[in-house]
Amino acid sequence: MTSALTWAQLRDLKCAELEGAADGWGRASNRADAGRDSIDKQLMNGLRGTQQGEAADAAVTRLRQLSRNFQYVYTECGLLRTALNSLAHEMRCQQQALQGALGDADALKFAVHADGSVTYPEAGEGLINGKPLPGGTATGRGLPGLVPPSGLVAPNPHAAKAQEIADRVEKAVRTAREIDWRYARILRKLKAEEGLKVPDATWTDAATDAAAVRGAARGYLKDATPLDASPAERKAWWAGLTQEQREEYLAVYPDRIGNLDGIPAVVRDAANRDNLQLLIGKLEGRDDEMAETQLAGLREIDRQLHVDRKPPMFLLGIGDEGNGRAIVSYGNPDTARNVSAYVPGLNTSLDEEFAKGDLKRARDTAIGTIDHDASSAAIVWLGYDAPQSPDGLRSLAVMGDDRAERGGRAFNGFMEGLVATNDNENPHLTAIGHSYGSRTVGAATQQDDGIPGVDDIVLVGSPGVGVDHAENLGVGKDHVFVGAAENDVVTKLPSKQQVVVGAVGLIAGGPPVAHIAGDLADPGDDDLWFGKDPASREFGARRFPVGDGPRLVSGNGISIDAHSQYFDPERDAVSAKSIALVAAGRSHKIRMEEYR
């Protein structure tokens, strides 16, 4: 079509042919997806399992590139399919509007001309001679309803109806021309450069393509996404879609579907793997420190997704908003009977350190849990903006409650989604909070009816959770478990009232570090930064043994490693095993420790 589109062309347009072309691109997209799946799950895994050496490494590198190319073909062909289907959908709407106008004209014996004008016959009677009033021709006014009446009313009773029909014809054609122009511009851009490689720059272009198709297809798919529904309602919505509809949502809205609580884990994983590439492409097009930091994290996650390991890795969320978002599960949380979700804390963001360190914590927990119950999955949930304190203990002021409150609401939505999609009749769910993440878990327990589905809560390295008694966390005090290392200074931060004087000295660069360590220790009244010490008798939780960890100040300098080794089976085997036992629903096997 061109800008010279006529109403006759619109009337005769075969939208089914556009949908047929869309189906063809859909088949191409599905074949590319199947090819990528075969490479990732069969060829690369088989090669890694049977071959070693430089040649094998080179072959794996080439296969990863081929897999990435197939992923690009899958994405672009999926965008083409949705663009064509959306074009057909919008054009069919204008066809129907045109056909309604033409049907009315035919019923009244009006003639619709090639230019859209409408001729109506003589009718009525003249006031003077009683003869029929002459007919005439009405022409579309361009913007029906926006042209004010002239005050001169034609005496022929057909005139007003003819004008209304002409306006409808003109509007349908004008709207169809705009649709045609909009999609033509998008479709021209959906093409790849020649060659066998798909570099990051091409993925940057793909991210732009996806954004363009989203904008064009906003009336075709976007409005139907149940963003305000409950996770259970979203699950039902997804189950009610046809396979073609699901594939289109995955192609055009991988970010939306991949991060929607209530969508099955395997679907979220597939969507987020595609969105991961689009995010990498998007951030490649930026030149700032935040983009570089998040790119490093995304690339490390991408690398791990292509490593064959057990338990399998599911990408349940990914995004670049705020300090970045990432939700990774080791094991399928929909089929596992035991599911734990770990919330990281202070200074956590989507960067390379998170992708290596925090993901390892979840994987270590998953492996430890599986040792006690094979039906298990462990998740790391970075679904909120944790406080960032680049100066360490010098910036305690960043540790307010607001981020925990917002994060707690988001965490509850995620956990409600796990409950909705889990296949087991009565799954065992555990919420694990580390550092400021324990404050976030605490905030989640105080909202509505608490954390959906959670049976046990684990708090490690905690500066307090916002409540003073374990029984206030909603799962019963016997189901709240606490690990606090002797040399973990975060678990000994004094209350906000007590820290005022010390903080002033710290910010001013005051006393030596050895003296600071003593000042920051809880003087003995069991009040921490966010309330009662979870490891105290007054709090009433069950305290499990953990290693002391390295001292804050030693001959080797300053170390806060005692705050970060709770999950590590090599550096603190007792703590890691205790966390795994709780996550496996076997907390009765844990040897408890005295309160401090």
Side-chain angles (χ1 to χ4, degrees), residues 191-537:
K191 60 182 180 181
E193 298 177 3
E194 294 183 2
L196 298 177
K197 292 186 177 181
V198 180
D200 287 340
T202 304
W203 275 107
T204 301
D205 184 61
T208 303
D209 293 341
V213 173
R214 287 191 196 105
R218 57 187 178 274
Y220 175 60
L221 285 177
K222 183 177 181 180
D223 292 342
T225 309
L227 299 179
D228 297 327
S230 69
E233 291 168 336
R234 293 168 182 166
K235 178 185 178 183
W237 167 76
W238 184 261
L241 297 177
T242 66
Q243 183 60 29
E244 181 179 6
Q245 288 173 323
R246 292 175 187 169
E247 290 170 358
E248 287 189 306
Y249 273 104
L250 287 171
V252 181
Y253 300 111
D255 56 335
R256 191 179 294 270
I257 300 303
N259 291 285
L260 199 61
D261 298 326
I263 300 299
V266 292
V267 176
R268 292 180 70 163
D269 177 63
N272 284 316
R273 287 174 186 250
D274 294 326
N275 189 40
L276 176 63
Q277 299 303 322
L278 294 175
L279 281 173
I280 290 174
K282 173 185 174 181
L283 295 178
E284 274 288 335
R286 287 169 42 186
D287 184 19
D288 58 80
E289 184 177 352
M290 176 68 80
E292 292 179 2
T293 298
Q294 292 187 351
L295 268 174
L298 292 172
R299 288 198 175 106
E300 175 59 22
I301 292 173
D302 184 46
R303 184 194 68 79
Q304 293 186 39
L305 286 169
H306 288 86
V307 175
D308 181 31
R309 58 171 60 179
K310 302 296 181 183
M313 187 173 172
F314 291 80
L315 188 58
L316 303 181
I318 199 74
D320 62 342
E321 60 267 36
N323 293 324
R325 301 287 187 267
I327 306 171
V328 175
S329 178
Y330 291 93
N332 187 337
D334 289 351
T335 59
R337 193 180 68 82
N338 299 297
V339 183
S340 64
Y342 146 59
V343 182
L346 185 66
N347 285 337
T348 308
S349 63
L350 178 56
D351 55 17
E352 190 171 11
E353 181 179 352
F354 166 82
K356 290 181 177 180
D358 288 278
L359 263 63
K360 181 182 182 299
R361 291 174 183 175
R363 185 167 184 265
D364 286 341
T365 299
I367 293 171
T369 306
I370 289 172
D371 287 343
H372 301 288
D373 191 321
S375 181
S376 300
I379 299 166
V380 54
W381 181 86
L382 181 59
Y384 79 121
D385 284 328
Q388 303 297 299
S389 175
D391 297 325
L393 296 178
R394 292 179 179 269
S395 300
L396 290 176
V398 303
M399 291 178 61
D401 296 291
D402 291 346
R403 292 174 185 254
E405 296 292 340
R406 291 195 296 270
R409 286 189 289 272
F411 184 63
N412 279 357
F414 174 75
M415 297 302 288
E416 186 179 357
L418 291 184
V419 173
T421 58
N422 191 279
D423 296 335
N424 294 276
E425 183 177 350
N426 187 26
H428 172 253
L429 303 185
T430 303
I432 304 173
H434 173 240
S435 186
Y436 187 85
S438 67
R439 176 66 186 94
T440 303
V441 169
T445 68
Q446 302 305 298
Q447 296 171 9
D448 299 325
D449 296 324
I451 307 176
V454 164
D455 303 285
D456 293 307
I457 292 175
V458 176
L459 309 169
V460 289
S462 176
V465 297
V467 301
D468 288 335
H469 302 286
E471 61 189 19
N472 294 334
L473 295 178
V475 294
K477 65 179 183 179
D478 289 340
H479 291 273
V480 179
F481 302 86
V482 176
E486 178 61 28
N487 293 320
D488 182 355
V489 68
V490 174
T491 70
K492 297 185 176 183
L493 293 178
S495 68
K496 297 174 185 178
Q497 292 78 13
Q498 296 163 346
V499 83
V500 171
V501 176
V504 171
L506 284 171
I507 294 171
V513 174
H515 183 60
I516 292 171
D519 286 346
L520 284 178
D522 189 322
D525 66 359
D526 299 319
D527 288 326
L528 298 186
W529 189 261
F530 291 117
K532 192 67 65 180
D533 179 3
S536 68
R537 181 178 301 278

